[in-house]
Every structure is written in C-alpha cells, then in structure tokens.
Amino acid sequence: MRKAYFDGTHRIRHPDQTWEAIRPLLMAYGITRVADVTGLDDIGIPVTMAVRPLARTLSVAQGKGATIAAARVSGAMEAIEAWHGERAVPTAEVRSPAEGLDLPYPVTALESHPGSLVTGRTVLEWITARSALDGEPVLVPAACVQLGREVHGQWRLHLPSASTNGLASGNTRAEAVVHALAELIERDTISALADGQDRGQLVDADSIEDEHCAALIGRLLAAGVWLELWHLPNRFGVPVMSCYLWREDQPALLVSGSGAHLDPHVALSRAITEAAQSRLTQITGSREDIHPAAYRPAVHHGPQPAPGPGVAWSEVVAQHTTGFTTDDGEAEHLAARVAAVTGHHPLVVDLTHGLHQRREFAVVKVLAPALRYDVRHVIPRPAQEVVA
C-alpha cells in the first residue's frame, strides 16, 4: 500500500483513522486511559501517556507527535506493542543450545546486557522468525522477544534479556517492520556515539525551512528553551538525528531525543518530539525508572554550547536522497543495508499471529545480530566533526 500521511512520519493512514480502528480495542489490551498531558508543560508539543495497570513491564507508555491525534495514537500503540511483547510471543518449538542448531548467526551476536553469560552451549528455548529479506524461517531465542517476568517454581537464569528495541507496530506488517528497523539503526548509532567512536554534525536550527520541523522549533524557542540539533552519520547511511533541550525550570535536566528515518525531516521531527516527551516524562513522574537526580535543585545555568558553527540543514538533506512510496520497498532497503553492514539478515517475529492476528494493526519484534543497544536512557552529546 502507498503511503498517505507525511506530517512528521510516514503512514498509510491518517492518525484519526488509526485511532478509530484501535479505540474499541484498548480495554482488550489492558489500557484504561490515554491521557493528554501536553498542558503540564508550556512548550505545546503534544505528548500523551497510555496506562496499563496490569502490565508486566512499565505500566505507562508515552506518545508524541506533531498533533494531538498523532500523539494519542503513538501512546496507545506503544502500550499495545508492550502487551504483545509480554503476552503474544509464540510458544517455544525447540529447547536446545545454539551449538545443536543450524543457525546463520552466532547467538552471542544478539542483543544482551553487559556481563551476559550466554554462550553457544547455553540451553535456550527457540521460536521461529523470518528473514526480513527473503522470508526464510530462522530460529531465535524466545527470551530475546519475551518481555516481563512471571513467578515460577523453577530456578533458571533469565538469559538472554529482551528489550523493546526493535519492537514496533504499524497499520500493516511492512509499516511495523520499517519502524522496527529504523529504531534498531538509531540505537546502534547512539551506542557507537556513547563509545566516542563517531562524531556528529551540529545543525544550524535557523536554517531549517521544512514547515513542519520549523514549527516545532519555533514552539521551543518561543518558550525560552535552549535547543541543540545534531546529525549523526553512521555505518548504514541512514539519517539519524538527536535533539537536546534545557530550560531553567528544570535546571538539573538536559533532556534528549533521537530519531531515524530515510527521510531526514522525519528523523528530525522524531528527535524533537521525543525530547519534548522526555521533558514531560520527568514532569509527570510517571515512570518507575526516573533517576532522583532529575528532581534535585541546581544552579540555573545552561549547557555549554558546541564549539563550532552548525551546518546548514540543506547540507544534511543533500547527503540522503533515498525515498520510497511504499513500506514494502522501504523495509527491504533498510533490511538490505543492515545485512550489508553486519553480514546477517534482520529477523522478524510476528506478534500479531494466530489468535492474536488483527486486521487493524500489526506488531513485530525485529532482531538484528551484531547491532548494539548499550545506551538506555541518556543520549550523549556528540563531539563535533572537524571540517577539513
């Protein structure tokens, strides 16, 4: 299906249409309310929170967007994604160490927390994924997909650990796969940045002429927010952006957001709206993993600015020219880029399958061997590229 909505994202339906499709289903996924919390801040970038009291992971999901309609769908779908990661993972088909299976990737190349004890000899339960390139079935550890932990009577190591990285939804399966792959690339880029391996290009915010992104920046500047935007070159050649916000009403807090998409304007929009969402997450105190330091008094002075001038946004846009009218073509392109860099096909687990299959939306978990996700909550400010 051709894309039809382009305001800060690419979708085949307008957010209002998606909302009408999913609204009757919210209670089925334990969502008791989707709240508009935009007004708790005075910046005005729409942010919502979707509440699932019986969640096996975080009970509150956040949503953001250029409009309240987009933010409402974003929050609700993020909660629905988490429900599927908790409760819709396929039943394990095989219990075996990786060494006993014919796998096209080393199990140690899958995402894991530092200090993981997983080896090729670790006995794991396995489910079937499909290659994002050729659709071939490939076994993956169920523990890489299953979110949350339940009480059980057996002692066992929870290895490896799953995260929401690569967990995504969409109006269609292809749309969900596109967003999952973009997130995997974004997180890998941020992880390399944290190591000091990569540098970024500071972007001159005044040079951004895109109507949608310029309006978001205008709201921030009108509210007296210190703003910094970065383009993060990466090994995939995919536009990845980061945004940093600070204001004296939260002096201890430099919030950040990031985004990836083949359209650099969408990547920028995601980074800005995610940073605004991060501010409101701190204001609402709705997450269990907020560090207490975020609420400590501090001296009212802003971050030190980057040392050099920013590049014009037109220079960033000129570096990225690939675009697709359908999600199928975009998903194939992103999967091919990941495979070319890592030597491994991304692997898709369909979580809207069997009894969980829906015509209204799709949820997938994409695993990408050899991609990293080491930075969970803080996006470090890049070092500036040296201009020759």
Side-chain angles (χ1 to χ4, degrees):
M1 297 178 67
R2 293 178 68 88
K3 301 174 183 177
Y5 182 79
F6 302 95
D7 195 2
T9 185
H10 288 184
R11 299 287 183 179
I12 66 163
R13 295 190 194 120
H14 190 281
D16 286 337
Q17 295 175 296
T18 302
W19 177 249
E20 288 305 311
I22 66 173
R23 184 177 183 180
L25 306 174
L26 297 181
M27 288 300 294
Y29 298 110
I31 301 170
T32 58
R33 63 190 181 279
V34 179
D36 176 7
V37 295
T38 310
L40 296 179
D41 200 354
D42 57 1
I43 290 175
I45 293 177
V47 176
T48 63
M49 50 185 277
V51 182
R52 285 191 309 133
L54 299 181
R56 296 174 183 173
T57 51
L58 290 172
S59 58
V60 174
Q62 280 82 31
K64 75 277 187 186
T67 64
I68 188 58
R72 183 171 54 201
V73 169
S74 172
M77 290 308 302
E78 184 157 322
I80 288 172
E81 292 166 16
W83 185 95
H84 283 80
E86 295 167 0
R87 302 170 190 268
V89 178
T91 303
E93 306 163 30
V94 178
R95 181 176 171 81
S96 169
E99 289 181 352
L101 304 171
D102 183 19
L103 300 176
Y105 63 89
V107 69
T108 52
L110 294 171
E111 179 189 318
S112 61
H113 288 288
S116 171
L117 301 177
V118 173
T119 71
R121 297 182 180 181
T122 306
V123 177
L124 300 171
E125 294 183 337
W126 301 81
I127 59 177
T128 298
R130 297 268 173 186
S131 164
L133 283 173
D134 57 24
E136 286 296 309
V138 180
L139 289 174
V140 298
C144 288
V145 182
Q146 181 70 56
L147 293 179
R149 294 177 179 175
E150 297 181 283
V151 175
H152 55 79
Q154 297 178 340
W155 184 91
R156 62 177 185 266
L157 290 172
H158 291 280
L159 298 172
S161 297
S163 75
T164 59
N165 190 30
L167 179 67
S169 59
N171 292 290
T172 64
R173 182 181 182 276
E175 192 176 273
V177 171
V178 165
H179 289 274
L181 288 168
E183 181 173 78
L184 288 163
I185 290 170
E186 171 194 334
R187 300 282 174 70
D188 183 87
T189 301
I190 298 300
S191 295
L193 185 67
D195 282 350
Q197 297 178 11
D198 291 328
R199 293 177 175 267
Q201 293 178 308
L202 179 68
V203 176
D204 178 6
D206 292 334
S207 70
I208 296 170
E209 298 180 350
D210 174 74
E211 182 177 351
H212 166 78
C213 293
L216 293 174
I217 293 169
R219 291 186 191 183
L220 293 166
L221 296 178
V225 176
W226 177 93
L227 166 75
E228 197 172 75
L229 304 172
W230 291 83
H231 171 238
L232 307 178
N234 56 80
R235 56 183 178 155
F236 307 98
V238 171
V240 178
M241 299 295 301
S242 63
C243 172
Y244 304 86
L245 308 178
W246 180 89
R247 200 170 69 169
E248 63 181 13
D249 59 343
Q250 292 182 309
L253 196 63
L254 176 68
V255 298
S256 57
S258 59
H261 195 275
L262 286 178
D263 182 341
H265 301 94
V266 174
L268 177 59
S269 174
R270 287 182 178 172
I272 295 171
T273 54
E274 185 175 280
Q277 173 187 284
S278 296
R279 256 184 68 89
L280 267 162
T281 300
Q282 309 289 337
I283 291 170
T284 60
S286 58
R287 287 182 63 120
E288 296 89 338
D289 55 356
I290 298 175
H291 197 280
Y295 302 106
R296 291 174 186 160
V299 177
H300 286 233
H301 60 78
Q304 291 296 316
V311 300
W313 178 241
S314 58
E315 293 183 31
V316 174
V317 173
Q319 298 175 44
H320 305 287
T321 57
T322 304
F324 293 87
T325 59
T326 67
D327 289 301
D328 293 282
E330 189 166 344
E332 184 176 354
H333 173 81
L334 289 172
R337 291 300 308 137
V338 171
V341 169
T342 66
H344 304 292
H345 289 197
L347 306 171
V348 181
V349 179
D350 187 352
L351 297 179
T352 37
H353 62 94
L355 295 174
H356 301 292
Q357 186 171 357
R358 304 229 54 113
R359 60 180 176 80
E360 296 88 356
F361 61 83
V363 179
V364 300
K365 167 72 174 185
V366 178
L367 303 176
L371 263 62
R372 297 172 53 195
Y373 179 30
D374 300 338
V375 181
R376 305 276 164 162
H377 301 294
V378 178
I379 304 171
R381 288 173 71 192
Q384 200 163 354
E385 282 189 345
V386 178
V387 179

